[in-house]
DNA sequence: ATAGGGCTTCCAGTTACTGGAAGCTCAAGA
DNA sequence: TCTTGAGCTTCCAGTAACTGGAAGCCCTAT
């Protein structure tokens, strides 16, 4: 198989496949004309990589997972460790984004979004203490 | 103010402040000895940047927001547009991570994580169709 | 023979910093 | 006064994971 066909069948663009070869994730053979010659096992590996990347594993994690996959004497605990660590990282990322989202959506809601220049989003970024929603009448004595 | 004090007061490391100057986000003056000489307004800008970055705005968004902040004739709608677009990007990111998280946590739960080599995580990555939870007895005739 | 599409390599750019090296400046202490 | 150390300067390189583009070879069809 040439790179084009492998790209199509694995869903990974040719550029990326070449990159994966560069960093040693796949080692296709070469035909006489210098073209990469992929076997089914290469295709299989690339599909594996595609799915692992789609789950957000880093390239180094992918390298580890691929190694475990090919290691008959692996222990499933090793795989689970990698996956659990990644899961924890994802959870952290989600929490971080969620917190940004909360603040930001609050700010967006509080902004008139009209032709006037005053904007609570900018005020917040500028560190002006939020005047809450200023009461028309004071509540304090 | 020298860079160290500004770093401390803004919470942005010196390296990053120099970088922000490189890309034109701040333009501190210079003292006779070649040291950067920051004024209060520079500090203010850096704090603004720090907060915007903490909300996940890209550097280019920060540049835009800073421009709007300094533009007396801005319309709050412009600010709101930037913020809403960013909010949408965050939502997309969260959805993507959440979907990864769902798949991954399912896989992790289904893996024994012991000394044996068989592992549903690897099976999934390898594209083997999940044998669901294989029934001990067939249900089909 | 030539046109095109596919393949090759290599270089550069992306994002937002961060680390490190070499070297200048300044304030304090022996 | 000299030295020491902290703080400042610039410049270069590296990070993650690709992606775009240029220059050029290969193969097939007309």
């Amino acid at each position: 198989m040439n790179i084009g066909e492998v790209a199509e069948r694995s869903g990974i663009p040719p550029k990326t496949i070449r990159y994966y070869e560069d960093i040693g994730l796949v080692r296709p053979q070469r035909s006489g004309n210098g073209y990469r010659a992929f076997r089914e096992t290469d295709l299989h590996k690339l599909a594996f990589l595609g799915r692992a990347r789609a789950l957000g594993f880093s390239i180094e994690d992918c390298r580890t997972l691929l190694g475990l996959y090919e290691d008959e004497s692996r222990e499933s605990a090793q795989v689970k460790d990698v996956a659990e660590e990644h899961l924890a990282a994802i959870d952290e990322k989600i929490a971080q984004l969620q917190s940004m989202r909360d603040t930001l959506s609050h700010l967006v809601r509080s902004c008139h979004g009209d032709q006037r220049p005053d904007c609570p989003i900018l005020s917040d970024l500028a560190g002006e203490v939020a005047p809450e929603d200023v009461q028309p009448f004071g509540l304090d004595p």
Side-chain angles (χ1 to χ4, degrees), chain A:
Chain A
M1 270 178 288
N2 282 350
I3 201 168
E5 186 182 343
V6 179
E8 186 149 340
R9 289 177 57 187
S10 68
I12 298 175
K15 276 275 185 187
T16 304
I17 296 176
R18 293 193 193 100
Y19 172 68
Y20 286 171
E21 184 187 6
D22 267 5
I23 62 174
L25 285 180
V26 283
R27 307 189 180 284
Q29 302 188 292
R30 296 291 175 136
S31 342
N33 58 11
Y35 286 16
R36 288 168 182 80
F38 295 85
R39 290 153 304 168
E40 286 296 325
T41 60
D42 295 317
L43 177 58
H44 196 80
K45 263 194 191 182
L46 286 165
F48 183 105
L49 288 169
R51 277 182 288 262
R53 294 287 298 129
L55 286 180
F57 285 105
S58 73
I59 288 289
E60 283 318 304
D61 278 351
C62 289
R63 198 190 298 279
T64 302
L65 292 170
L66 214 40
L68 288 170
Y69 180 60
E70 295 178 327
D71 175 7
E72 301 286 326
S73 74
R74 70 181 166 257
E75 303 182 4
S76 63
Q78 299 176 274
V79 182
K80 194 170 182 172
D81 279 357
V82 173
E84 276 176 335
E85 209 159 309
H86 179 47
L87 187 54
I90 287 179
D91 281 343
E92 197 173 327
K93 200 87 208 266
I94 290 177
Q96 191 184 336
L97 285 171
Q98 193 61 54
S99 143
M100 286 178 185
R101 205 217 104 89
D102 291 348
T103 305
L104 198 54
S105 72
H106 172 77
L107 288 175
V108 164
R109 268 196 308 275
S110 70
C111 174
H112 294 295
D114 56 19
Q115 84 297 341
R116 287 170 300 169
D118 46 301
C119 170
I121 302 173
L122 291 181
S123 302
D124 182 276
L125 292 175
E128 295 164 22
V129 187
E132 302 305 322
D133 292 335
V134 179
Q135 287 99 353
F137 301 96
L139 294 177
D140 288 318

